[in-house]
Amino acid sequence: MSDITLGIIGSGQLGSLLCQAAKKLNIKTVVFSDDEHGPAQNYSDQFIFGKYDDKDKIKELINKVDVVTYEFENIPIEILKNIDKEIKVLPKPKINQIVQNRKLEKTFVNDIGIKTTDWAFIKSAEDIKKNKKLLPGILKTNTLGYDGHGQFVLDSLDDVKKDWCFTADYILEKKIKLRKEISVIISRFSNHEIYTYEPIENIHKDQILKHSKIPAEITDEIFKEAQDKAKLIAEKLDYIGTMCVEYFIDQNNTLLVNEIAPRVHNSGHLTINAFNISQFENHVRAVCGLNNIIVQKFFNAEMTNILGKEIVEYRSKSYGDFEFFFDYKKKKIKDKRKMGHLTILKK
Ligand code: ADP
Ligand code: MG
């Protein structure tokens, strides 16, 4: 019986799945969220509802837990840093600061010798003109993007609207003709041991992940390169916990890092059913200072995200022994919102 209590900031499905993994390890959970209806409260031992900058609520969290982690990266960095002064926050706030900012993230990745798409930092329409070699490209808000929010495709300079007011910082990335997208989930422990899951192949629709599968249909070389690069990134960041590296494979079979998620990741949901130890359990183990144990893959698998009103149909279906339906129990159905997922195991 463990006597560790884990604090989790954020109360979406990733939080729910972290709570379920913690329960398996007899680790208690306290979820802190600014969403009154956050579904993770259905799975946590305690729930604190409040604004992320509410000092009293933060104090309450700190008093209740031994270590704090987070299920999304867009948390104001000062808040994580303040909590970290009193109690350990893992992954370290410094890592989150890099990864939640596309400019810092890409600079870090390029500086350790890893390729990304060609990109430039953009503060004005003038900056776009100066970087027109990156067109057709994608303009992305420098911070706070997720599921394709804050992204604009620019085919040519004509698409730069004259009245566009640059209130935020952006980056402009060259648009890649994608052969494939893959991701690597990796867990690094406090003793610095690492477990790297095999690459997962991902299909996005409208910039939102729709399907993930293992094995990814890639060459042995790309398989190894993707795992090696993820390891290098985890080591250079001195990362503790589970993280994900999203990659593009272009038409020349060049592997490019798209982005890093300093947390458990949607593409890794299939690890719950296909492996003895999921990405969630490995994250909880790592941030709570438990050792890694041998990870075994039992099945190949395919995962489908259930978006918006699709959930209604999935709720009324019946499922076979190799099919695992997860309903995130979100209060409101919204268009394109991730409402659940289905994992199908394959021999
Ligand atoms: P988010 O932070 O919303 O996940 P991403 O930068 O990962 O944003 O973009 C979401 C998806 O949009 C990617 O997985 C990919 O399918 C597509 N995309 C993003 N950037 C590019 C690019 N430079 N070239 C081609 N496709 C892209
Ligand atoms: Mg992404």
Side-chain angles (χ1 to χ4, degrees):
M1 184 75 190
S2 130
D3 53 6
I4 303 170
T5 304
L6 172 63
I8 300 169
I9 303 179
S11 62
Q13 61 273 14
L14 299 177
S16 299
L17 295 165
L18 284 169
C19 288
Q20 286 169 270
K23 200 157 269 168
K24 187 178 156 200
L25 297 166
N26 279 319
I27 289 171
K28 297 230 158 13
T29 48
V30 179
V31 163
F32 173 37
S33 173
D34 66 356
D35 175 4
E36 198 179 355
H37 304 296
Q41 63 190 289
N42 295 313
Y43 303 95
S44 64
D45 294 288
Q46 291 185 58
F47 181 63
I48 302 172
F49 163 58
K51 291 231 163 71
Y52 290 129
D53 60 359
D54 182 331
K55 292 207 168 65
D56 292 336
K57 301 286 176 173
I58 291 173
K59 195 88 219 147
E60 188 184 339
L61 175 72
I62 290 171
N63 288 337
K64 284 186 165 154
V65 304
D66 300 294
V67 55
V68 169
T69 190
Y70 40 91
E71 59 126 43
F72 69 111
E73 57 267 48
N74 293 329
I75 306 164
I77 194 66
E78 287 314 318
I79 291 170
L80 290 184
K81 283 188 175 165
N82 284 336
I83 299 175
D84 195 43
K85 282 180 196 149
E86 301 203 38
I87 197 164
K88 204 184 263 182
V89 174
L90 289 172
K92 285 184 212 146
K94 183 179 91 215
I95 296 175
N96 197 50
Q97 190 169 14
I98 297 172
V99 171
Q100 66 169 234
N101 179 313
R102 294 190 195 272
K103 178 186 177 199
L104 298 180
E105 177 184 50
K106 285 181 194 296
T107 304
F108 160 77
V109 170
N110 294 153
D111 283 353
I112 61 170
I114 295 178
K115 276 198 197 129
T116 57
T117 54
D118 291 336
W119 64 279
F121 185 58
I122 301 289
K123 282 177 107 52
S124 64
E126 200 51 41
D127 287 343
I128 299 179
K129 278 186 206 143
K130 277 188 220 149
N131 288 285
K132 65 173 189 293
K133 64 174 190 309
L134 295 175
L135 300 178
I138 303 184
L139 192 67
K140 301 182 180 180
T141 49
N142 193 40
T143 57
L144 301 175
Y146 70 98
D147 287 345
H149 290 261
Q151 297 195 12
F152 311 90
V153 176
L154 299 181
D155 287 321
S156 72
L157 283 177
D158 297 340
D159 292 339
V160 184
K161 296 191 182 69
K162 289 206 176 56
D163 56 353
W164 212 326
C165 39
F166 282 81
T167 46
D169 292 339
Y170 293 86
I171 61 148
L172 178 62
E173 269 181 37
K174 200 163 182 60
K175 191 165 175 217
I176 299 295
K177 268 209 180 127
L178 297 171
R179 177 180 286 245
K180 237 176 233 302
E181 292 189 73
I182 60 169
S183 57
V184 170
I185 311 260
I186 181 165
S187 305
R188 188 165 177 270
F189 296 82
S190 49
N191 62 4
H192 298 169
E193 282 185 24
I194 283 181
Y195 179 74
T196 315
Y197 290 90
E198 68 180 69
I200 300 163
E201 182 168 337
N202 300 315
I203 294 174
H204 290 77
K205 284 206 182 114
D206 299 330
Q207 283 139 314
I208 302 175
L209 181 66
K210 189 61 191 163
H211 299 287
S212 294
K213 71 165 188 181
I214 47 170
E217 287 173 48
I218 50 176
T219 61
D220 293 348
E221 289 74 27
I222 295 249
F223 185 108
K224 184 170 181 309
E225 188 184 341
Q227 285 196 326
D228 288 350
K229 288 186 165 157
K231 271 187 219 163
L232 181 67
I233 291 170
E235 273 163 1
K236 291 281 183 193
L237 288 171
D238 194 17
Y239 195 91
I240 307 291
T242 293
M243 66 167 212
C244 176
V245 183
E246 295 176 15
Y247 295 97
F248 296 145
I249 302 173
D250 73 8
Q251 297 297 322
N252 305 320
N253 256 336
T254 305
L255 188 68
L256 305 165
V257 165
N258 170 25
E259 59 176 355
I260 303 167
R263 54 171 170 79
V264 285
H265 191 262
N266 191 172
S267 64
H269 287 357
L270 51 72
T271 63
I272 299 172
N273 308 102
F275 291 79
N276 64 333
I277 310 287
S278 71
Q279 63 161 349
F280 300 96
E281 180 172 343
N282 260 340
H283 184 73
V284 174
R285 284 182 168 280
V287 301
C288 291
L290 307 185
N291 281 341
N292 54 335
I293 54 176
I294 293 172
V295 179
Q296 281 177 294
K297 177 184 170 187
F298 294 136
F299 294 98
N300 290 324
E302 280 183 28
M303 189 270 327
T304 299
N305 267 341
I306 302 165
L307 304 176
K309 357 186 232 309
E310 290 170 357
I311 192 72
V312 179
E313 189 194 330
Y314 280 87
R315 280 180 180 147
S316 63
K317 276 188 193 170
S318 54
Y319 295 97
D321 291 346
F322 287 84
E323 297 175 331
F324 297 87
F325 167 55
F326 293 74
D327 185 342
Y328 301 154
K329 299 185 187 164
K330 291 187 180 172
K331 261 222 136 69
K332 277 199 190 125
I333 298 180
K334 279 193 211 153
D335 196 28
K336 295 188 181 168
R337 187 179 209 192
K338 292 173 181 167
M339 300 299 297
H341 74 265
L342 176 70
T343 298
I344 303 177
L345 299 179
K346 314 253 159 153
K347 286 286 178 198

